Structure formats: structure tokens, C-alpha cells
Amino acid sequence: MVWLGVCSKGVTPLVILDKATIKHARYIQEGLPVALKYENQVFGDDWIFQQDGARPHTYDLTQQWCKGNFPAFIDKDHWSPDSPDLNHLDYSIWDEFVHVINWDKVKSKATLIQELKRAVKNIQEEVVFESCNSWTNRLYRLSTNDFGYLR
């Protein structure tokens, strides 16, 4: 498993979570502090944290941690649980990420991790910016579609 955050200014450092199933405690300990540090460095205290509906994200202790640590946070009760059309990673960044990986170099878990770390640095800034820029339009289109999937 890997964790990655995205915003209009770029992508967070990649977090490799390779030793066990990801549950809320590991997510709180290893993923969320990276998001907090990165976003505070980039935006100061003027930003909103959004995550998808994965179980570690919606767990009560995760929600409490986010409310207590982020300057603003869209909690699970105010976010569509099936929101790939509103998650930059789902509709744009993961695709870009897998295209910059040199799959010929991946021969083992160790080489996969090396390639993931290299590839995240090569995600095109324009792709990140455009995916974030389209967010408001996507939100509007979903609102007019009863928050069903976009086609």
C-alpha cells in the first residue's frame, strides 16, 4: 500500500505502508502527519483536508484526529462516500503516476519501492494543477447529477 496526497501546488511525499494491512491506527500515525506537515509548509493554516471513504479514513478516531489537527476538514458526514469523481488521485493522478513508472525496472518488492519513490517525483506539475483546477467544475457537475458518477 502507498499513501499520497495532492493539492494545487503538487504532491505530498510518498508514504510506503508495506508491512501490514492498513487500519486506522497506522493511517493516523504514518499518513496523516505527512499530510499535515506538507500542507502546513505549502499553505500555512489556510487549507481544507479531504479524503475518500476508505475505512481507515472514516473511522471515528481518524475523524477526531483530522478535526483536531487540520485547519479545516470535510468529515465523512459531509462527503459523498463514493466520490472518485471528486478525488484528484482517483480521476487523474494515479493514472499519471503509473505512466511514469519504469515497469521494466520492477523485479522485486525492493525495486518496486525504489521505482515508486522515483516516479512520484516525476509526476507532471501540469497534470496535478489541471486535476485540481477541474475540481470545482466536477463538484458542480456532480451536484446537478444527484452526485452520481460522471460519464
Side-chain angles (χ1 to χ4, degrees):
M1 291 288 249
V2 298
W3 181 90
L4 186 67
V6 64
C7 68
S8 61
K9 303 287 185 181
V11 295
T12 66
L14 184 68
V15 177
I16 307 290
L17 301 162
D18 66 336
K19 297 208 171 18
T21 301
I22 306 309
K23 295 190 179 180
H24 74 278
R26 274 192 80 201
Y27 178 59
I28 291 169
Q29 292 172 349
E30 298 177 43
L32 292 176
V34 173
L36 181 62
K37 181 179 177 184
Y38 177 83
E39 300 298 340
N40 280 339
Q41 287 174 345
V42 173
F43 295 109
D45 62 357
D46 188 23
W47 55 280
I48 300 170
F49 187 72
Q50 165 205 329
Q51 53 192 355
D52 62 22
R55 284 191 181 161
H57 303 175
T58 61
Y59 195 78
D60 288 340
L61 291 176
T62 303
Q63 296 284 299
Q64 289 172 17
W65 192 98
C66 292
K67 287 176 189 172
N69 289 278
F70 294 128
F73 167 63
I74 302 173
D75 66 39
K76 68 180 181 178
D77 296 328
H78 293 92
W79 193 251
S80 174
D82 298 315
S83 58
D85 290 314
L86 291 175
N87 184 324
H88 309 292
L89 293 168
D90 289 341
Y91 69 76
S92 179
I93 305 304
W94 288 131
D95 187 58
E96 173 70 9
F97 188 41
V98 299
H99 282 92
V100 296
I101 292 174
N102 183 342
W103 292 103
D104 292 333
K105 290 185 177 181
V106 177
K107 305 294 181 197
S108 65
K109 182 178 176 180
T111 58
L112 173 61
I113 290 171
Q114 288 174 342
E115 191 56 21
L116 292 172
K117 289 178 179 179
R118 184 204 61 77
V120 76
K121 296 175 186 172
N122 292 316
I123 295 174
Q124 295 179 46
E125 288 181 28
E126 306 84 48
V127 171
V128 174
F129 180 78
E130 287 301 319
S131 72
C132 292
N133 195 37
S134 72
W135 188 85
T136 304
N137 182 41
R138 288 173 161 281
L139 182 58
Y140 174 76
R141 288 177 51 213
L142 280 170
S143 73
T144 62
N145 191 33
D146 292 326
F147 288 90
Y149 292 109
L150 297 177
R151 296 178 203 274

